[in-house]
Amino acid sequence: MPDKRVDNIVRRSWREFRTKDDYRRFLTAAQWFATHDWKGLTPRQIPLEGTHAKWLNPSRLSVIAHAIGVPSIDLEDRPGMLVLHYADPEWLDSGGRRDDLWTTRDTGFRLPYRPRIVVICENKDCAQSFPPFDGTVVVEGDGYSASGLLPQVPWLQGARDGVDAATGDDEHRRPLLVYWGDMDEAGYEIVANLRRRGLESVRTILMDPASWQAYAKWGTDIDRRGEKLRPSGRPAPEELTGDERAVWQLIRHEDHGVTRIEQERIPNSAVVDALERL
Protein backbone atom coordinates (compact mmCIF):
# COMPACT_ATOMS: atom_id res chain seq x y z
CA MET A 1 0.00 0.00 0.00
CA PRO A 2 2.10 3.02 -1.28
CA ASP A 3 2.42 5.85 1.20
CA LYS A 4 1.49 8.56 -1.34
CA ARG A 5 -1.73 6.75 -2.26
CA VAL A 6 -2.62 6.33 1.39
CA ASP A 7 -1.90 10.00 2.07
CA ASN A 8 -4.15 11.05 -0.81
CA ILE A 9 -6.98 8.84 0.39
CA VAL A 10 -6.73 10.14 3.94
CA ARG A 11 -6.48 13.74 2.76
CA ARG A 12 -9.75 13.37 0.82
CA SER A 13 -11.35 11.91 3.96
CA TRP A 14 -9.95 14.34 6.49
CA ARG A 15 -13.14 14.43 8.59
CA GLU A 16 -12.57 10.80 9.56
CA PHE A 17 -8.85 11.19 10.30
CA ARG A 18 -8.33 14.62 11.83
CA THR A 19 -5.56 13.74 14.26
CA LYS A 20 -2.22 11.93 14.12
CA ASP A 21 -3.71 9.24 16.35
CA ASP A 22 -6.54 8.69 13.88
CA TYR A 23 -4.02 8.46 11.04
CA ARG A 24 -2.03 5.88 13.01
CA ARG A 25 -5.20 3.90 13.69
CA PHE A 26 -6.07 4.07 10.01
CA LEU A 27 -2.69 2.59 9.01
CA THR A 28 -3.02 -0.16 11.62
CA ALA A 29 -6.55 -1.01 10.49
CA ALA A 30 -5.66 -0.96 6.80
CA GLN A 31 -2.73 -3.29 7.41
CA TRP A 32 -4.90 -5.69 9.40
CA PHE A 33 -7.70 -5.82 6.81
CA ALA A 34 -5.17 -6.25 4.00
CA THR A 35 -3.73 -9.37 5.64
CA HIS A 36 -6.66 -11.01 7.45
CA ASP A 37 -10.04 -12.57 6.70
CA TRP A 38 -12.76 -10.51 8.37
CA LYS A 39 -15.79 -12.47 7.18
CA GLY A 40 -18.26 -13.26 9.96
CA LEU A 41 -16.76 -10.74 12.39
CA THR A 42 -18.44 -7.72 13.95
CA PRO A 43 -16.59 -4.38 14.27
CA ARG A 44 -15.99 -5.07 17.96
CA GLN A 45 -14.25 -8.36 17.12
CA ILE A 46 -11.57 -6.78 14.94
CA PRO A 47 -8.35 -6.93 17.06
CA LEU A 48 -6.73 -3.54 16.52
CA GLU A 49 -4.25 -2.35 19.13
CA GLY A 50 -5.03 0.98 20.74
CA THR A 51 -8.33 1.34 18.87
CA HIS A 52 -11.76 1.51 20.45
CA ALA A 53 -14.27 -0.85 18.83
CA LYS A 54 -16.61 2.02 17.94
CA TRP A 55 -13.83 3.72 15.95
CA LEU A 56 -14.56 1.38 13.03
CA ASN A 57 -17.64 3.19 11.80
CA PRO A 58 -19.06 2.72 8.27
CA SER A 59 -17.37 5.85 6.90
CA ARG A 60 -13.92 4.78 8.06
CA LEU A 61 -14.46 1.23 6.82
CA SER A 62 -15.28 2.66 3.41
CA VAL A 63 -12.02 4.61 3.33
CA ILE A 64 -10.03 1.58 4.51
CA ALA A 65 -11.64 -0.56 1.79
CA HIS A 66 -10.60 2.01 -0.81
CA ALA A 67 -7.07 2.06 0.56
CA ILE A 68 -6.58 -1.72 0.36
CA GLY A 69 -8.28 -2.00 -3.02
CA VAL A 70 -11.48 -3.90 -2.19
CA PRO A 71 -15.05 -2.84 -3.05
CA SER A 72 -16.21 -2.84 0.56
CA ILE A 73 -15.59 -4.22 4.03
CA ASP A 74 -18.86 -5.79 5.12
CA LEU A 75 -18.71 -6.68 8.78
CA GLU A 76 -21.50 -8.47 10.60
CA ASP A 77 -24.12 -6.60 12.59
CA ARG A 78 -25.37 -7.82 15.92
CA PRO A 79 -28.72 -9.56 15.46
CA GLY A 80 -31.68 -7.32 16.17
CA MET A 81 -33.42 -8.31 19.39
CA LEU A 82 -36.89 -7.85 20.86
CA VAL A 83 -38.04 -8.63 24.39
CA LEU A 84 -41.64 -9.90 24.49
CA HIS A 85 -44.17 -10.32 27.26
CA TYR A 86 -47.28 -12.46 26.92
CA ALA A 87 -50.32 -10.92 28.62
CA ASP A 88 -53.16 -13.24 27.61
CA PRO A 89 -54.83 -14.45 30.87
CA GLU A 90 -55.75 -17.88 29.51
CA TRP A 91 -52.18 -18.48 28.36
CA LEU A 92 -50.73 -17.35 31.67
CA ASP A 93 -53.24 -19.38 33.71
CA SER A 94 -52.23 -22.48 31.75
CA GLY A 95 -48.66 -22.08 32.99
CA GLY A 96 -47.34 -20.53 29.81
CA ARG A 97 -44.20 -18.44 30.02
CA ARG A 98 -44.67 -14.71 30.41
CA ASP A 99 -41.39 -13.52 28.88
CA ASP A 100 -39.72 -14.33 25.58
CA LEU A 101 -36.98 -13.17 23.24
CA TRP A 102 -36.88 -12.84 19.46
CA THR A 103 -33.86 -12.07 17.28
CA THR A 104 -33.42 -11.50 13.56
CA ARG A 105 -31.70 -14.89 13.37
CA ASP A 106 -34.80 -16.59 14.80
CA THR A 107 -36.35 -17.59 11.46
CA GLY A 108 -38.51 -20.34 12.95
CA PHE A 109 -40.08 -18.19 15.66
CA ARG A 110 -43.79 -18.66 16.41
CA LEU A 111 -45.92 -16.86 18.96
CA PRO A 112 -47.65 -19.26 21.37
CA TYR A 113 -51.09 -17.83 20.58
CA ARG A 114 -52.77 -15.68 17.96
CA PRO A 115 -52.69 -12.08 19.24
CA ARG A 116 -55.63 -9.72 19.03
CA ILE A 117 -53.44 -6.78 20.09
CA VAL A 118 -49.71 -6.16 19.81
CA VAL A 119 -48.57 -3.35 22.12
CA ILE A 120 -45.20 -1.65 21.60
CA CYS A 121 -44.51 -0.42 25.13
CA GLU A 122 -41.61 2.02 25.46
CA ASN A 123 -40.89 1.81 29.19
CA LYS A 124 -39.47 -1.50 30.38
CA ASP A 125 -41.16 -1.29 33.81
CA CYS A 126 -44.54 -0.83 32.16
CA ALA A 127 -43.90 -3.65 29.69
CA GLN A 128 -42.77 -6.09 32.36
CA SER A 129 -45.73 -5.31 34.63
CA PHE A 130 -48.29 -5.02 31.82
CA PRO A 131 -51.75 -6.05 33.01
CA PRO A 132 -53.33 -9.28 31.74
CA PHE A 133 -55.49 -8.62 28.71
CA ASP A 134 -57.11 -11.04 26.30
CA GLY A 135 -54.99 -11.93 23.27
CA THR A 136 -52.29 -9.35 23.93
CA VAL A 137 -48.56 -9.53 23.22
CA VAL A 138 -46.32 -6.75 24.54
CA VAL A 139 -43.10 -5.75 22.76
CA GLU A 140 -40.54 -3.67 24.63
CA GLY A 141 -39.74 -0.52 22.68
CA ASP A 142 -36.22 0.72 22.12
CA GLY A 143 -36.53 4.44 21.54
CA TYR A 144 -35.74 5.83 18.12
CA SER A 145 -33.97 2.65 17.01
CA ALA A 146 -37.26 0.73 17.17
CA SER A 147 -38.41 2.26 13.88
CA GLY A 148 -35.48 0.55 12.15
CA LEU A 149 -36.10 -2.93 13.58
CA LEU A 150 -39.83 -3.33 14.19
CA PRO A 151 -41.00 -2.93 10.56
CA GLN A 152 -38.69 -5.83 9.64
CA VAL A 153 -40.16 -8.32 12.13
CA PRO A 154 -42.08 -10.92 10.08
CA TRP A 155 -44.67 -11.83 12.71
CA LEU A 156 -45.16 -8.16 13.65
CA GLN A 157 -45.87 -7.31 10.02
CA GLY A 158 -48.96 -9.46 10.44
CA ALA A 159 -50.42 -6.72 12.60
CA ARG A 160 -49.99 -4.39 9.65
CA ASP A 161 -50.75 -6.51 6.59
CA GLY A 162 -53.69 -8.63 7.72
CA VAL A 163 -51.62 -11.82 8.01
CA ASP A 164 -51.87 -13.84 11.17
CA ALA A 165 -48.79 -13.07 13.28
CA ALA A 166 -48.64 -16.55 14.81
CA THR A 167 -49.12 -18.86 11.80
CA GLY A 168 -48.69 -16.75 8.68
CA ASP A 169 -52.22 -17.62 7.53
CA ASP A 170 -54.52 -14.99 6.07
CA GLU A 171 -57.19 -13.89 8.53
CA HIS A 172 -60.20 -11.66 8.19
CA ARG A 173 -59.38 -10.03 11.49
CA ARG A 174 -55.83 -8.87 11.95
CA PRO A 175 -54.32 -7.92 15.31
CA LEU A 176 -54.28 -4.27 16.28
CA LEU A 177 -50.87 -2.64 16.49
CA VAL A 178 -50.59 -0.15 19.37
CA TYR A 179 -47.83 2.13 20.64
CA TRP A 180 -47.71 3.41 24.22
CA GLY A 181 -44.91 5.72 25.32
CA ASP A 182 -44.18 8.90 27.22
CA MET A 183 -46.15 12.03 26.43
CA ASP A 184 -43.19 14.11 25.31
CA GLU A 185 -41.65 15.13 22.00
CA ALA A 186 -39.58 11.96 21.82
CA GLY A 187 -42.61 9.72 22.32
CA TYR A 188 -44.52 11.31 19.45
CA GLU A 189 -41.46 11.36 17.20
CA ILE A 190 -41.01 7.62 17.79
CA VAL A 191 -44.57 6.78 16.77
CA ALA A 192 -44.24 9.08 13.74
CA ASN A 193 -41.06 7.23 12.75
CA LEU A 194 -42.83 3.87 13.05
CA ARG A 195 -45.54 5.05 10.68
CA ARG A 196 -42.98 6.58 8.34
CA ARG A 197 -40.97 3.34 8.21
CA GLY A 198 -43.88 1.11 7.25
CA LEU A 199 -46.09 0.51 10.30
CA GLU A 200 -48.71 2.97 9.10
CA SER A 201 -51.59 1.45 11.04
CA VAL A 202 -50.00 1.80 14.49
CA ARG A 203 -52.26 3.71 16.88
CA THR A 204 -51.49 5.15 20.30
CA ILE A 205 -53.11 4.74 23.69
CA LEU A 206 -52.90 7.12 26.65
CA MET A 207 -51.18 9.76 24.52
CA ASP A 208 -54.22 11.97 23.79
CA PRO A 209 -55.28 15.35 25.28
CA ALA A 210 -57.61 13.71 27.82
CA SER A 211 -54.72 11.59 29.14
CA TRP A 212 -52.51 14.68 29.29
CA GLN A 213 -55.07 16.51 31.38
CA ALA A 214 -55.69 13.50 33.62
CA TYR A 215 -52.03 12.89 34.46
CA ALA A 216 -50.42 16.32 34.07
CA LYS A 217 -49.99 16.67 37.83
CA TRP A 218 -47.47 13.81 37.65
CA GLY A 219 -45.62 15.44 34.77
CA THR A 220 -42.24 17.14 34.87
CA ASP A 221 -40.08 19.69 33.10
CA ILE A 222 -36.79 18.26 34.43
CA ASP A 223 -34.71 15.58 32.71
CA ARG A 224 -32.71 12.74 34.31
CA ARG A 225 -29.70 15.03 34.78
CA GLY A 226 -31.78 17.59 36.64
CA GLU A 227 -31.74 20.02 33.74
CA LYS A 228 -34.81 21.82 32.48
CA LEU A 229 -36.62 20.20 29.57
CA ARG A 230 -37.35 22.73 26.86
CA PRO A 231 -39.46 22.17 23.76
CA SER A 232 -37.43 21.94 20.57
CA GLY A 233 -39.64 24.34 18.63
CA ARG A 234 -39.91 21.83 15.77
CA PRO A 235 -43.31 21.47 14.08
CA ALA A 236 -45.35 18.36 14.82
CA PRO A 237 -44.46 15.41 12.55
CA GLU A 238 -46.89 15.02 9.67
CA GLU A 239 -47.62 11.41 10.63
CA LEU A 240 -49.32 12.34 13.91
CA THR A 241 -53.09 12.22 14.34
CA GLY A 242 -55.12 15.24 15.41
CA ASP A 243 -55.15 14.20 19.07
CA GLU A 244 -51.41 13.54 19.04
CA ARG A 245 -50.75 16.93 17.45
CA ALA A 246 -52.86 18.58 20.12
CA VAL A 247 -50.62 17.14 22.86
CA TRP A 248 -47.53 18.20 20.89
CA GLN A 249 -48.85 21.75 21.07
CA LEU A 250 -49.44 21.41 24.82
CA ILE A 251 -45.83 20.32 25.25
CA ARG A 252 -44.65 23.47 23.46
CA HIS A 253 -46.36 25.74 26.01
CA GLU A 254 -43.95 25.90 28.94
CA ASP A 255 -46.18 28.08 31.10
CA HIS A 256 -47.95 25.04 32.58
CA GLY A 257 -44.62 23.66 33.84
CA VAL A 258 -44.93 20.25 32.17
CA THR A 259 -43.08 19.05 29.07
CA ARG A 260 -43.09 15.32 29.79
CA ILE A 261 -45.52 12.87 31.35
CA GLU A 262 -43.79 9.54 31.83
CA GLN A 263 -45.93 6.53 31.06
CA GLU A 264 -44.98 4.70 34.27
CA ARG A 265 -47.03 7.33 36.15
CA ILE A 266 -50.18 5.94 34.56
CA PRO A 267 -51.85 3.04 36.45
CA ASN A 268 -52.55 -0.33 34.89
CA SER A 269 -56.27 0.19 35.37
CA ALA A 270 -56.10 3.02 32.85
CA VAL A 271 -54.19 0.77 30.44
CA VAL A 272 -56.97 -1.82 30.63
CA ASP A 273 -59.63 0.85 30.06
CA ALA A 274 -57.73 2.17 27.04
CA LEU A 275 -57.40 -1.30 25.49
CA GLU A 276 -61.09 -1.99 26.04
CA ARG A 277 -61.94 1.14 24.06
CA LEU A 278 -59.99 0.02 20.99
Side-chain angles (χ1 to χ4, degrees), residues 52-157:
H52 192 280
K54 292 184 178 179
W55 186 86
L56 278 177
N57 61 36
S59 297
R60 287 172 178 151
L61 285 171
S62 178
V63 177
I64 293 167
H66 186 194
I68 66 175
V70 299
S72 64
I73 297 175
D74 299 317
L75 300 178
E76 293 292 321
D77 293 325
R78 290 175 178 172
M81 183 181 299
L82 293 179
V83 178
L84 315 177
H85 306 285
Y86 301 122
D88 181 74
E90 184 176 347
W91 167 256
L92 296 175
D93 289 345
S94 72
R97 66 189 182 280
R98 180 174 178 84
D99 308 312
D100 209 345
L101 187 69
W102 174 88
T103 76
T104 50
R105 296 187 299 199
D106 215 351
T107 56
F109 183 84
R110 291 291 183 271
L111 296 174
Y113 55 85
R114 180 178 298 126
R116 289 195 312 110
I117 302 172
V118 177
V119 179
I120 303 167
C121 184
E122 193 60 46
N123 180 268
K124 294 183 185 298
D125 288 356
C126 294
Q128 293 170 7
S129 62
F130 202 87
F133 198 83
D134 182 46
T136 298
V137 173
V138 182
V139 178
E140 288 190 13
D142 192 23
Y144 290 101
S145 62
S147 61
L149 175 61
L150 291 173
Q152 303 176 38
V153 180
W155 54 265
L156 187 56
Q157 289 176 358

Side-chain angles (χ1 to χ4, degrees), residues 28-38 43 46 48 56 61 64-65 68 70 73 75:
T28 300
Q31 183 65 33
W32 190 92
F33 281 104
T35 56
H36 292 80
D37 181 8
W38 63 82
I46 304 300
L48 300 177
L56 278 177
L61 285 171
I64 293 167
I68 66 175
V70 299
I73 297 175
L75 300 178

